[in-house]
Amino acid sequence: FAIKLPMVPFHTWLPDAHVEAPTPISVILAALLLKIGGYGLARIAFPVFPDAAIYFGGFVGLMGVISILYGGLNAMSSKDLKRLIAYSSVSHMGFVLLGIASLTPEGVAGSVYQMFSHGIISAMLFLLAGVLYDRTNDRMIANYSGLSIKMPSYTAFVLIAFFASMGLPGFSGFIAEIMVFLGAFKSNSIHGPLHESLAIVATLGLVLGATYYLWTLQRMFFGPFNLKGNISSDQVYDVNVREYSMLIPLAAAALFFGIYPQPMIAIIDPFAKHFAEFVLSTGKSLMLNP
């Protein structure tokens, strides 16, 4: 499950897989298949071994924080747009680990909401990378500048996707991450496995996310229009009807579930409360009476 999620240091397959895969496969991989790792932890690993979940909870939370920071730092150093998005997925899946490890209703609900939210946002991000690659066969960030001049609608979709992935208020990513942080901060006070310091350090992931996304926006979309490599200006044109039909529903979903998360929270909450209560109570009784 750690490999599938992926958790550092079992993440190394993911950036290479995304870079080599065509756009539809990247979308399915990021939006659906990574979530099997989180689902397996929540439905199998933690409930089947509740005493181990408490005993190793601090370690799992620590690995989540390392994934958040390591993924963010690698995304910042990425020169390929797809690799940047892949490493951002590693970072965001770290929040899933942190939330589950907190063993609080808020943290677990935030973890599940993060999987749902990331499914929407990562699909949109990889589709946007695919739109550009489909035109130019080039994903190198340094080869683009001032794209907002030739591709205003595309730039608007990129802004929505980047801001949603950053966790800005009004987008689904914000709801997920704030719940994970609330759960991680609360864990120690209800005798859960996480110390507050892990939640504090994890907030650096938000700073890193803002850094690599805003830096990419500044380099690729703003400033004078300029193309490098073998790209000609006639290859760069705005989104067409087919691409609108893919991007508009995802952008609307990221906004809707950021402004009105209640439909999903109502589904997730009963599971999160039962999960946290069961794992903590059963795990502690097993540890006292093995």
Side-chain angles (χ1 to χ4, degrees):
F1 294 136
I3 293 167
K4 196 71 185 165
L5 191 66
M7 178 182 85
V8 172
F10 306 111
H11 69 288
T12 50
W13 63 273
L14 181 72
D16 292 332
H18 275 307
V19 167
E20 296 298 328
T23 299
I25 304 303
S26 286
V27 170
I28 294 167
L29 178 62
L32 297 176
L33 297 184
L34 300 189
K35 310 317 180 270
I36 293 170
Y39 178 84
L41 290 172
R43 293 291 291 182
I44 299 170
F46 276 58
V48 172
F49 306 104
D51 50 340
I54 295 171
Y55 186 79
F56 291 108
F59 173 74
V60 174
L62 175 64
M63 296 311 293
V65 173
I66 290 171
S67 296
I68 291 167
L69 301 181
Y70 183 80
L73 288 168
N74 272 284
M76 210 189 314
S77 66
S78 295
K79 297 175 182 177
D80 184 308
L81 183 60
K82 240 184 172 186
R83 190 174 287 273
L84 181 147
I85 299 166
Y87 273 116
S88 82
S89 291
V90 174
S91 184
H92 285 98
M93 289 296 101
F95 286 105
V96 173
L97 279 174
L98 186 65
I100 292 176
S102 72
L103 298 181
T104 60
E106 296 90 343
V108 175
S111 176
V112 177
Y113 204 89
Q114 174 75 331
M115 287 191 279
F116 170 75
S117 165
H118 185 261
I120 296 167
I121 296 165
S122 64
M124 189 174 178
L125 285 166
F126 279 111
L127 281 173
L128 287 164
V131 166
L132 195 59
Y133 185 71
D134 193 46
R135 286 155 170 63
T136 63
N137 290 318
D138 193 318
R139 292 190 305 263
M140 293 297 112
I141 294 168
N143 289 347
Y144 298 95
S145 175
L147 285 178
S148 60
I149 295 166
K150 291 286 292 278
M151 305 174 78
S153 298
Y154 178 78
T155 305
F157 282 119
V158 169
L159 284 167
I160 291 168
F162 279 14
F163 288 165
S165 192
M166 260 191 264
L168 251 63
F171 294 100
S172 56
F174 172 76
I175 305 293
E177 287 171 14
I178 200 72
M179 289 172 72
V180 168
F181 283 126
L182 287 171
F185 273 112
K186 184 183 172 184
S187 181
N188 197 33
S189 65
I190 62 160
H191 308 293
L194 297 190
H195 194 268
E196 292 91 341
S197 59
L198 285 177
I200 293 166
V201 175
T203 56
L204 292 172
L206 303 179
V207 178
L208 289 173
T211 303
Y212 60 74
Y213 278 131
L214 293 176
W215 191 31
T216 303
L217 278 173
Q218 185 261 325
R219 285 181 291 170
M220 289 185 71
F221 294 93
F222 301 112
F225 178 70
N226 185 32
L227 301 170
K228 296 177 185 173
N230 296 318
I231 311 168
S232 62
S233 59
D234 60 329
Q235 290 176 284
V236 178
Y237 54 91
D238 218 347
V239 286
N240 56 36
V241 174
R242 180 177 65 91
E243 291 156 354
Y244 271 119
S245 68
M246 294 187 294
L247 295 168
I248 287 173
L250 293 170
L255 280 163
F256 176 81
F257 288 106
I259 296 165
Y260 185 55
Q262 198 54 40
M264 279 303 299
I265 297 293
I267 297 168
I268 296 166
D269 255 359
F271 162 77
K273 287 173 183 172
H274 175 72
F275 175 93
E277 184 183 326
F278 172 81
V279 174
L280 273 177
S281 60
T282 311
K284 283 176 180 175
S285 66
L286 283 171
M287 290 172 86
L288 291 171
N289 305 294

